[in-house]
Amino acid sequence: MNVLIVGCGWVGTYVASRLLSKGYKLWGTCRTPEKAAKLKEMGLRSYVIDFDRDAAINDLPKTTFDTIIISVPITRKDAIETVSSRFKRLTLFLKELSFRQVLYFGSIGIYPKVDGLITEDTFAAEELDEKLWLGESRLRTVCPDINVFRLGGLFGQERIFAKYFAGKVCEIGFQTANFVHVEDVCRIISITMEREVRGATYNVVCPEHPLKKDVIAVSAAKYGYGLPSSFTDSDQTAKIVSSNLLVAELGYSFVYRSPLQF
């Protein structure tokens, strides 16, 4: 299979390593020559493109890709105008390619911060985060049957929740955790590719949602990090993002059902 990973950052690199081990042919884009060199060492055909300024790669081969995986981030710091321009260039880039399937890494940050169980269709479009919805919407104009994975907080490898709070005041400890391990993300991608799924939108989140303070305590003990200096209970938002649709439609069983297992 021919696979192109657009925006080959931390998650994309992890996915690439797994797909290469299966014998897939991989292409990858990134923003710097240094990262492109690392991808090339892994075995990818790598290209430098920054969608905040570029919309094309001159020497990308005229290959029909079985799957394109898009991992172009939208951050809290991005202005809406920046997101609009970035995804306009990204769609122009995609229009020049030939492909059979597209996967996009969105975020559960698209949902409002509210108490309660949240599914993929709990909220109307106008209730979703404007920037994240803009990114998804722009991609659907060029890929109507795109698969959107709304990822929870990503952990695994060097990403350990406890290390970000060691010795600090933690203000989110009493929130529910909506996390996912990168290994589960990778496995879900593989299933989606193998089954040639199209047009799906899934929340990709662990089925279990412990309090973040409990995740911190477990990961601190497991990996040798110090605990926070204190917890505040001012924010006790019980936002629970459901992955039931993904489990039901793909028949998927999470390797890490709970962030307490990370």
Side-chain angles (χ1 to χ4, degrees):
M1 291 183 70
N2 296 329
V3 179
L4 169 64
I5 301 177
V6 180
C8 202
W10 181 69
V11 180
T13 300
Y14 186 93
V15 172
S17 66
R18 295 305 179 90
L19 296 181
L20 286 169
S21 70
K22 294 183 178 183
Y24 291 6
K25 294 181 180 179
L26 261 68
W27 289 253
T29 79
C30 57
R31 298 176 65 182
T32 68
E34 294 77 14
K35 183 58 183 287
K38 291 179 180 179
L39 295 177
K40 186 176 181 180
E41 288 177 6
M42 287 177 60
L44 284 77
R45 299 159 179 84
S46 60
Y47 302 86
V48 177
I49 185 168
D50 183 344
F51 291 105
D52 283 348
R53 65 169 188 261
D54 308 317
I57 296 175
N58 294 330
D59 56 345
L60 191 70
K62 299 298 181 182
T63 299
T64 296
F65 296 103
D66 295 286
T67 301
I68 295 177
I69 299 171
I70 301 172
S71 184
V72 176
I74 298 171
T75 71
R76 292 180 181 179
K77 295 180 180 179
D78 289 329
I80 188 71
E81 295 80 12
T82 301
V83 174
S84 180
S85 298
R86 182 182 303 154
F87 277 74
K88 181 178 181 180
R89 293 186 185 95
L90 176 56
T91 56
L92 291 173
F93 172 76
L94 293 171
K95 285 179 180 179
E96 298 301 314
L97 303 179
S98 176
F99 51 83
R100 298 187 176 93
Q101 181 192 49
V102 182
L103 314 179
Y104 170 59
F105 295 156
S107 169
I108 62 166
I110 198 169
Y111 303 123
K113 183 181 175 181
V114 296
D115 293 331
L117 185 68
I118 297 172
T119 67
E120 290 80 357
D121 59 359
T122 296
F123 298 100
E126 59 270 18
E127 298 176 281
L128 300 174
D129 180 87
E130 183 181 13
K131 292 186 292 186
L132 294 173
W133 178 245
L134 175 61
E136 289 187 12
S137 301
R138 280 282 172 87
L139 291 173
R140 286 190 174 99
T141 63
V142 67
C143 313
D145 61 352
I146 193 171
N147 297 296
V148 176
F149 293 161
R150 292 173 177 167
L151 304 181
L154 277 159
F155 292 94
Q157 296 183 304
E158 74 277 8
R159 288 195 180 185
I160 300 166
F161 195 44
K163 76 177 182 180
Y164 303 108
F165 299 96
K168 301 177 181 178
V169 175
C170 178
E171 299 179 349
I172 61 171
F174 287 86
Q175 292 179 0
T176 47
N178 292 284
F179 297 160
V180 67
H181 197 283
V182 68
E183 177 63 21
D184 278 305
V185 174
C186 190
R187 288 170 180 257
I188 292 164
I189 289 169
S190 293
I191 291 172
T192 307
M193 292 169 60
E194 290 164 5
R195 298 185 186 177
E196 300 181 356
V197 174
R198 290 179 174 82
T201 297
Y202 292 133
N203 295 329
V204 183
V205 187
C206 291
E208 298 178 14
H209 306 267
L211 293 181
K212 292 178 180 178
K213 69 181 184 64
D214 295 327
V215 180
I216 291 171
V218 169
S219 64
K222 183 175 182 178
Y223 296 103
Y225 288 98
L227 292 171
S229 60
S230 64
F231 291 94
T232 64
D233 60 2
S234 56
D235 188 341
Q236 301 185 43
T237 307
K239 177 180 179 180
I240 298 176
V241 179
S242 172
S243 57
N244 288 346
L245 181 64
L246 178 154
V247 171
E249 293 192 354
L250 298 185
Y252 184 69
S253 179
F254 278 79
V255 177
Y256 297 90
R257 290 189 54 81
S258 170
L260 296 175
Q261 298 173 318
F262 293 177

